[in-house]
Protein backbone atom coordinates (compact mmCIF):
# COMPACT_ATOMS: atom_id res chain seq x y z
CA UNK A 1 0.00 0.00 0.00
CA UNK A 2 2.76 2.45 0.92
CA UNK A 3 6.03 2.75 -0.94
CA UNK A 4 8.71 5.34 -1.50
CA UNK A 5 8.28 7.69 -4.43
CA UNK A 6 10.62 6.88 -7.32
CA UNK A 7 12.39 10.23 -7.02
CA UNK A 8 12.99 9.78 -3.28
CA UNK A 9 16.50 10.36 -1.97
CA UNK A 10 18.64 7.25 -1.51
CA UNK A 11 18.03 5.28 1.67
CA UNK A 12 21.19 5.85 3.73
CA UNK A 13 20.03 6.31 7.33
CA UNK A 14 19.89 3.07 9.39
CA UNK A 15 17.06 2.83 11.92
CA UNK A 16 15.68 -0.07 13.94
CA UNK A 17 11.97 -0.75 13.45
CA UNK A 18 10.73 -3.40 15.87
CA UNK A 19 14.35 -4.48 16.22
CA UNK A 20 14.98 -4.93 12.49
CA UNK A 21 17.37 -2.54 10.75
CA UNK A 22 16.11 -0.75 7.65
CA UNK A 23 17.60 2.10 5.64
CA UNK A 24 15.52 5.20 5.01
CA UNK A 25 16.22 8.49 3.21
CA UNK A 26 17.59 11.39 5.24
CA UNK A 27 14.74 13.63 6.40
CA UNK A 28 12.25 10.77 6.68
CA UNK A 29 9.89 10.89 9.64
CA UNK A 30 9.76 8.01 12.11
CA UNK A 31 6.17 7.41 10.95
CA UNK A 32 7.30 7.07 7.34
CA UNK A 33 10.02 4.65 8.47
CA UNK A 34 7.32 2.54 10.14
CA UNK A 35 5.31 2.54 6.92
CA UNK A 36 8.39 1.70 4.83
CA UNK A 37 9.01 -1.25 7.17
CA UNK A 38 5.67 -2.64 5.98
CA UNK A 39 4.05 -3.16 9.36
CA UNK A 40 0.29 -3.87 9.23
CA UNK A 41 -0.31 -1.46 12.14
CA UNK A 42 1.88 0.61 14.42
CA UNK A 43 -0.37 0.92 17.42
CA UNK A 44 -3.60 -0.34 18.88
CA UNK A 45 -6.18 1.86 20.53
CA UNK A 46 -6.34 1.54 24.34
CA UNK A 47 -10.13 1.00 24.46
CA UNK A 48 -11.00 -1.34 21.58
CA UNK A 49 -7.58 -2.55 20.42
CA UNK A 50 -8.26 -1.33 16.88
CA UNK A 51 -5.11 -1.30 14.72
CA UNK A 52 -3.87 2.07 13.50
CA UNK A 53 -1.43 3.41 10.93
CA UNK A 54 -0.23 7.00 10.54
CA UNK A 55 -2.93 8.98 8.75
CA UNK A 56 -2.45 12.73 8.56
CA UNK A 57 1.38 12.86 8.68
CA UNK A 58 1.16 16.37 10.14
CA UNK A 59 0.57 16.01 13.88
CA UNK A 60 -3.23 16.13 13.96
CA UNK A 61 -4.68 12.61 14.23
CA UNK A 62 -2.37 10.94 16.79
CA UNK A 63 -2.67 7.62 14.93
CA UNK A 64 1.12 7.46 14.75
CA UNK A 65 1.91 7.19 18.46
CA UNK A 66 5.01 5.05 18.87
CA UNK A 67 7.84 4.38 21.26
CA UNK A 68 10.96 6.11 19.96
CA UNK A 69 14.32 5.50 21.64
CA UNK A 70 12.44 4.13 24.65
CA UNK A 71 10.10 7.10 25.04
CA UNK A 72 6.40 6.18 24.58
CA UNK A 73 3.59 8.31 23.15
CA UNK A 74 5.73 10.09 20.57
CA UNK A 75 3.98 11.41 17.48
CA UNK A 76 6.15 9.55 14.99
CA UNK A 77 5.15 11.81 12.10
CA UNK A 78 6.73 14.79 13.89
CA UNK A 79 10.08 13.12 14.62
CA UNK A 80 12.78 13.04 11.91
CA UNK A 81 14.87 9.88 11.88
CA UNK A 82 18.44 9.80 13.16
CA UNK A 83 21.00 7.07 12.65
CA UNK A 84 20.39 4.19 15.06
CA UNK A 85 16.97 5.45 16.16
CA UNK A 86 14.84 2.70 17.74
CA UNK A 87 11.18 2.86 16.67
CA UNK A 88 8.70 0.43 18.20
CA UNK A 89 4.99 -0.15 17.94
CA UNK A 90 2.80 0.90 20.82
CA UNK A 91 0.22 -1.50 22.18
CA UNK A 92 -2.62 0.17 24.08
CA UNK A 93 -2.11 3.00 26.56
CA UNK A 94 1.27 3.94 27.96
CA UNK A 95 2.22 5.85 31.04
CA UNK A 96 3.58 9.34 30.40
CA UNK A 97 7.36 9.52 30.24
CA UNK A 98 8.99 10.46 33.52
S1 LIG B 1 0.04 10.71 11.49
FE1 LIG B 1 -1.46 11.99 12.35
S2 LIG B 1 -0.52 12.82 14.12
FE2 LIG B 1 1.03 11.61 13.19
Amino acid sequence: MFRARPEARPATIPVLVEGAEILVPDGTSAAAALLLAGLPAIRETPVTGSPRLPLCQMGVCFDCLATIDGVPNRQACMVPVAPGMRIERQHGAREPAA
Side-chain angles (χ1 to χ4, degrees):
M1 179 174 191
F2 294 99
R3 62 182 183 273
R5 295 172 56 146
E7 70 276 18
R9 291 168 293 214
T12 58
I13 306 297
V15 297
L16 292 170
V17 177
E18 291 288 299
E21 184 174 289
I22 65 168
L23 296 173
V24 298
D26 189 22
T28 299
S29 71
L34 285 159
L35 293 172
L36 288 169
L39 300 178
I42 70 157
R43 77 176 187 97
E44 297 151 0
T45 59
V47 176
T48 66
S50 297
R52 291 287 189 260
L53 284 171
L55 179 62
C56 72
Q57 299 284 349
M58 59 183 187
V60 175
C61 72
F62 287 76
D63 275 340
C64 64
L65 293 180
T67 300
I68 299 175
D69 289 336
V71 180
N73 293 322
R74 302 284 311 273
Q75 281 180 283
C77 69
M78 304 304 288
V79 179
V81 295
M85 176 180 277
R86 292 176 293 117
I87 309 165
E88 297 163 341
R89 291 189 286 184
Q90 185 162 302
H91 303 282
R94 289 290 187 268
E95 295 297 319

